[in-house]
Amino acid sequence: MKNNSIRILAIESSCDDTAAAVIAEGRILSNKIANQDIHREYGGVVPEWASRMHQENIVPVVDSAMREASVNLEELSAIAFTAGPGLLGSLLVGCSFAKSLALSLNVPLISVNHMEAHVLAHFIDEPVPEYPFICLTVSGGHTQLVRVNSPYDLKVVGETIDDAAGEAFDKIGKYLGLEYPAGPIVDKLAQEGKARYDFTKPTVEGLNFSFSGLKTAVLYFLRDEVKKDPNFIVKNLHDLCASVQKVIVDILVEKLVKASKQYNIREIGIAGGVSANSLLREMVSKTAIEYGWRTYIPKIQYCTDNAAMVAMAAYFKYEKGAFADQTATPKARLKIARSTDD
């Protein structure tokens, strides 16, 4: 039963997007984000600039979220913030702001793991998965398989041992001369190409992932082909994008199938920014039919970095009374507990 008196302001500042959201009665009332486009021209996020821009954006973003939600500061039950993982300087801005506001309002403080928030974004809108379910979380910096037994019991059962899938998209996209972030551009260009280049999939035991070797293989392949024809990339850009996208998605879906079989779980969730990829969605839908899965993917606005997912995770923590205190500090490499189950 949802408590109608719970109103939480959530702040997300793990990378370069400054976000704030308000949740009340278990329902998202607002979800505001300020982007930092300045990083595009440098091919990746510049940490120092990101933290400085968070300082400029956080007050207007929070104000906008509160106004859209029609909630006054005095009505808030708690303040939540992303404690990690992420860029430490960026995390510190959100953490410091949240601690100060919670102290001034004399309300509880809630510390949220960014990766847990991605998973729990599945509970923002109906339909929601039944427990237990397997969640494939694929974002710019993380690729994980998580067994979710409850909102308070999330276990990582597989993760990348080097680069994440999103990083592979961005780094390979850079080799192809694409802007940052390259993932959505690769997806768009791939739709007009054919996956005719066969890039070898890295061999990794168990449910873990590896994308570093793929990145290197593509780099060497392009280097050799460009030596033969300087215009090789331009001439074959769409097919290259389709080939890269296919091998990355194949790796993700194969591991997801393996996890489903290993744990005998057919409730499957997909989360994180890369879940917007059209081929990944298509392949998961096809695989769901083959294996009798019920699949769940949050709306796009709740898949990329956002504060609504932090608010949802904080709501569950509030119901359990899992509060932080003023000694709370963010951690750049904060992890979900790793499962030792078979």
Side-chain angles (χ1 to χ4, degrees), residues 196-218:
R196 60 191 182 91
Y197 299 109
D198 187 17
F199 297 115
T200 303
K201 299 173 189 174
T203 302
V204 184
E205 294 296 324
L207 297 177
N208 286 337
F209 303 86
S210 171
F211 294 97
S212 179
L214 172 63
K215 177 193 68 177
T216 304
V218 174

Side-chain angles (χ1 to χ4, degrees), residues 6-10 75-80 102 107-110 318 323:
I6 301 176
R7 294 180 177 85
I8 302 171
L9 168 66
E75 298 177 292
L76 291 173
S77 308
I79 310 296
V107 296
L109 186 68
I110 302 175
Y318 189 101
F323 302 125

Side-chain angles (χ1 to χ4, degrees), residues 126 163 312:
E126 298 284 347
D163 287 348
M312 192 73 251

Side-chain angles (χ1 to χ4, degrees), residues 93-259:
V93 176
C95 174
S96 299
F97 185 92
K99 288 166 67 174
S100 299
L101 188 57
L103 186 63
S104 67
L105 297 174
N106 194 29
V107 296
L109 186 68
I110 302 175
S111 169
V112 173
N113 182 304
H114 180 84
M115 299 310 295
E116 291 183 9
H118 270 305
V119 175
L120 297 177
H122 284 92
F123 296 91
I124 294 176
D125 292 320
E126 298 284 347
V128 301
E130 294 182 5
Y131 301 111
F133 70 94
I134 299 291
C135 182
L136 170 65
T137 310
V138 201
S139 65
H142 300 85
T143 301
Q144 294 182 337
L145 284 165
V146 182
R147 175 174 172 162
V148 187
N149 299 314
S150 80
Y152 321 108
D153 184 5
L154 291 77
K155 303 291 186 183
V156 174
V157 296
E159 60 189 338
T160 182
I161 60 175
D162 42 56
D163 287 348
E167 290 174 317
F169 271 120
D170 288 337
K171 290 178 181 178
I172 293 173
K174 189 174 182 179
Y175 303 157
L176 298 174
L178 305 180
E179 292 184 355
Y180 172 87
I185 304 174
V186 170
D187 188 7
K188 183 177 180 180
L189 295 175
Q191 294 177 39
E192 299 177 32
K194 293 182 179 180
R196 60 191 182 91
Y197 299 109
D198 187 17
F199 297 115
T200 303
K201 299 173 189 174
T203 302
V204 184
E205 294 296 324
L207 297 177
N208 286 337
F209 303 86
S210 171
F211 294 97
S212 179
L214 172 63
K215 177 193 68 177
T216 304
V218 174
L219 177 63
Y220 289 165
F221 172 79
L222 293 175
R223 180 197 63 187
D224 293 342
E225 293 301 320
V226 168
K227 283 181 181 179
K228 303 173 191 175
D229 179 1
N231 295 317
F232 174 79
I233 293 176
V234 174
K235 290 178 181 178
N236 301 281
L237 183 59
H238 294 89
D239 290 348
L240 286 166
C241 287
S243 301
V244 167
Q245 178 167 263
K246 183 180 185 302
V247 69
I248 292 175
V249 169
D250 282 350
I251 292 168
L252 294 172
V253 174
E254 286 171 9
K255 291 290 185 176
L256 186 55
V257 169
K258 188 171 184 177

Side-chain angles (χ1 to χ4, degrees), residues 37 51 53 60-62 68 100 106 108 127 141 146 152 158 197 206 216 220 226 256 266-267 281 303 317 339:
D37 290 335
S51 59
M53 290 302 296
V61 169
V62 167
E68 182 170 303
S100 299
N106 194 29
V146 182
Y152 321 108
Y197 299 109
T216 304
Y220 289 165
V226 168
L256 186 55
R266 293 183 176 85
E267 294 281 305
R281 287 177 173 240
C303 287
K317 282 198 161 190
S339 175

